[in-house]
mmCIF file of all heavy atoms in Angstrom:
data_model
loop_
_atom_site.group_PDB
_atom_site.id
_atom_site.type_symbol
_atom_site.label_atom_id
_atom_site.label_comp_id
_atom_site.label_asym_id
_atom_site.label_seq_id
_atom_site.Cartn_x
_atom_site.Cartn_y
_atom_site.Cartn_z
ATOM 1 N N LEU A 306 9.846 -35.493 -35.760
ATOM 2 C CA LEU A 306 8.461 -35.214 -36.118
ATOM 3 C C LEU A 306 7.807 -34.338 -35.057
ATOM 4 O O LEU A 306 8.105 -34.496 -33.866
ATOM 5 C CB LEU A 306 7.647 -36.510 -36.223
ATOM 6 C CG LEU A 306 8.054 -37.532 -37.282
ATOM 7 C CD1 LEU A 306 7.268 -38.820 -37.079
ATOM 8 C CD2 LEU A 306 7.822 -36.979 -38.679
ATOM 9 N N TYR A 307 6.920 -33.453 -35.501
ATOM 10 C CA TYR A 307 6.069 -32.749 -34.548
ATOM 11 C C TYR A 307 4.646 -33.246 -34.744
ATOM 12 O O TYR A 307 4.041 -33.062 -35.812
ATOM 13 C CB TYR A 307 6.113 -31.227 -34.714
ATOM 14 C CG TYR A 307 5.358 -30.557 -33.590
ATOM 15 C CD1 TYR A 307 6.019 -30.213 -32.414
ATOM 16 C CD2 TYR A 307 3.984 -30.338 -33.669
ATOM 17 C CE1 TYR A 307 5.332 -29.642 -31.350
ATOM 18 C CE2 TYR A 307 3.294 -29.778 -32.607
ATOM 19 C CZ TYR A 307 3.970 -29.425 -31.450
ATOM 20 O OH TYR A 307 3.289 -28.883 -30.394
ATOM 21 N N ILE A 308 4.111 -33.871 -33.703
ATOM 22 C CA ILE A 308 2.784 -34.473 -33.767
ATOM 23 C C ILE A 308 1.755 -33.509 -33.169
ATOM 24 O O ILE A 308 1.852 -33.133 -31.998
ATOM 25 C CB ILE A 308 2.747 -35.805 -32.995
ATOM 26 C CG1 ILE A 308 3.797 -36.772 -33.550
ATOM 27 C CG2 ILE A 308 1.352 -36.418 -33.058
ATOM 28 C CD1 ILE A 308 3.584 -37.187 -34.981
ATOM 29 N N LEU A 309 0.789 -33.121 -33.998
ATOM 30 C CA LEU A 309 -0.350 -32.348 -33.527
ATOM 31 C C LEU A 309 -1.497 -33.328 -33.274
ATOM 32 O O LEU A 309 -1.849 -34.119 -34.148
ATOM 33 C CB LEU A 309 -0.779 -31.323 -34.576
ATOM 34 C CG LEU A 309 -1.911 -30.380 -34.153
ATOM 35 C CD1 LEU A 309 -1.406 -29.377 -33.128
ATOM 36 C CD2 LEU A 309 -2.484 -29.656 -35.373
ATOM 37 N N ARG A 310 -2.070 -33.284 -32.077
ATOM 38 C CA ARG A 310 -3.162 -34.202 -31.723
ATOM 39 C C ARG A 310 -4.418 -33.400 -31.393
ATOM 40 O O ARG A 310 -4.389 -32.514 -30.533
ATOM 41 C CB ARG A 310 -2.768 -35.059 -30.523
ATOM 42 C CG ARG A 310 -3.802 -36.121 -30.165
ATOM 43 C CD ARG A 310 -3.296 -37.016 -29.055
ATOM 44 N NE ARG A 310 -4.213 -38.135 -28.820
ATOM 45 C CZ ARG A 310 -4.002 -39.079 -27.908
ATOM 46 N NH1 ARG A 310 -2.902 -39.051 -27.158
ATOM 47 N NH2 ARG A 310 -4.875 -40.062 -27.761
ATOM 48 N N ILE A 311 -5.487 -33.720 -32.075
ATOM 49 C CA ILE A 311 -6.739 -33.009 -31.833
ATOM 50 C C ILE A 311 -7.504 -33.680 -30.691
ATOM 51 O O ILE A 311 -7.319 -34.860 -30.402
ATOM 52 C CB ILE A 311 -7.611 -32.952 -33.091
ATOM 53 C CG1 ILE A 311 -8.106 -34.355 -33.490
ATOM 54 C CG2 ILE A 311 -6.859 -32.297 -34.247
ATOM 55 C CD1 ILE A 311 -9.160 -34.348 -34.584
ATOM 56 N N VAL A 312 -8.345 -32.906 -30.033
ATOM 57 C CA VAL A 312 -9.279 -33.421 -29.026
ATOM 58 C C VAL A 312 -10.641 -33.467 -29.708
ATOM 59 O O VAL A 312 -11.322 -32.433 -29.832
ATOM 60 C CB VAL A 312 -9.302 -32.523 -27.779
ATOM 61 C CG1 VAL A 312 -10.266 -33.084 -26.734
ATOM 62 C CG2 VAL A 312 -7.898 -32.389 -27.189
ATOM 63 N N PRO A 313 -11.070 -34.634 -30.215
ATOM 64 C CA PRO A 313 -12.241 -34.710 -31.108
ATOM 65 C C PRO A 313 -13.515 -34.123 -30.529
ATOM 66 O O PRO A 313 -14.286 -33.475 -31.259
ATOM 67 C CB PRO A 313 -12.388 -36.217 -31.347
ATOM 68 C CG PRO A 313 -11.030 -36.778 -31.106
ATOM 69 C CD PRO A 313 -10.442 -35.942 -30.022
ATOM 70 N N GLU A 314 -13.744 -34.316 -29.232
ATOM 71 C CA GLU A 314 -14.996 -33.848 -28.653
ATOM 72 C C GLU A 314 -15.070 -32.322 -28.558
ATOM 73 O O GLU A 314 -16.143 -31.764 -28.296
ATOM 74 C CB GLU A 314 -15.219 -34.465 -27.267
ATOM 75 C CG GLU A 314 -14.121 -34.190 -26.261
ATOM 76 C CD GLU A 314 -13.022 -35.244 -26.265
ATOM 77 O OE1 GLU A 314 -12.866 -35.954 -27.290
ATOM 78 O OE2 GLU A 314 -12.328 -35.360 -25.232
ATOM 79 N N ARG A 315 -13.952 -31.641 -28.806
ATOM 80 C CA ARG A 315 -13.950 -30.186 -28.751
ATOM 81 C C ARG A 315 -13.968 -29.538 -30.139
ATOM 82 O O ARG A 315 -13.868 -28.318 -30.252
ATOM 83 C CB ARG A 315 -12.710 -29.696 -27.983
ATOM 84 C CG ARG A 315 -12.739 -30.054 -26.502
ATOM 85 C CD ARG A 315 -11.490 -29.537 -25.792
ATOM 86 N NE ARG A 315 -11.523 -29.830 -24.365
ATOM 87 C CZ ARG A 315 -12.025 -29.038 -23.444
ATOM 88 N NH1 ARG A 315 -12.564 -27.883 -23.797
ATOM 89 N NH2 ARG A 315 -11.997 -29.374 -22.173
ATOM 90 N N LEU A 316 -14.057 -30.371 -31.186
ATOM 91 C CA LEU A 316 -14.033 -29.851 -32.549
ATOM 92 C C LEU A 316 -15.181 -30.424 -33.376
ATOM 93 O O LEU A 316 -15.581 -31.578 -33.172
ATOM 94 C CB LEU A 316 -12.703 -30.194 -33.234
ATOM 95 C CG LEU A 316 -11.449 -29.484 -32.721
ATOM 96 C CD1 LEU A 316 -10.203 -30.165 -33.261
ATOM 97 C CD2 LEU A 316 -11.459 -28.010 -33.111
ATOM 98 N N LYS A 317 -15.672 -29.643 -34.334
ATOM 99 C CA LYS A 317 -16.702 -30.108 -35.266
ATOM 100 C C LYS A 317 -16.048 -30.645 -36.538
ATOM 101 O O LYS A 317 -16.583 -30.492 -37.637
ATOM 102 C CB LYS A 317 -17.649 -28.960 -35.601
ATOM 103 C CG LYS A 317 -18.470 -28.471 -34.422
ATOM 104 C CD LYS A 317 -19.407 -27.347 -34.811
ATOM 105 C CE LYS A 317 -18.662 -26.070 -35.107
ATOM 106 N NZ LYS A 317 -19.574 -24.920 -35.361
ATOM 107 N N ILE A 318 -14.908 -31.254 -36.379
ATOM 108 C CA ILE A 318 -14.135 -31.756 -37.511
ATOM 109 C C ILE A 318 -13.272 -32.907 -36.995
ATOM 110 O O ILE A 318 -12.794 -32.870 -35.852
ATOM 111 C CB ILE A 318 -13.263 -30.626 -38.114
ATOM 112 C CG1 ILE A 318 -12.689 -31.011 -39.473
ATOM 113 C CG2 ILE A 318 -12.162 -30.208 -37.165
ATOM 114 C CD1 ILE A 318 -12.020 -29.851 -40.187
ATOM 115 N N ASP A 319 -13.095 -33.938 -37.814
ATOM 116 C CA ASP A 319 -12.243 -35.051 -37.397
ATOM 117 C C ASP A 319 -10.824 -34.834 -37.912
ATOM 118 O O ASP A 319 -10.519 -33.804 -38.526
ATOM 119 C CB ASP A 319 -12.814 -36.392 -37.870
ATOM 120 C CG ASP A 319 -12.937 -36.491 -39.389
ATOM 121 O OD1 ASP A 319 -12.398 -35.613 -40.110
ATOM 122 O OD2 ASP A 319 -13.586 -37.449 -39.862
#
Side-chain angles (χ1 to χ4, degrees):
L306 298 171
Y307 187 90
I308 303 297
L309 184 72
R310 185 175 187 179
I311 66 170
V312 181
E314 58 270 22
R315 293 180 178 270
L316 291 166
K317 294 181 289 186
I318 193 171
D319 60 11

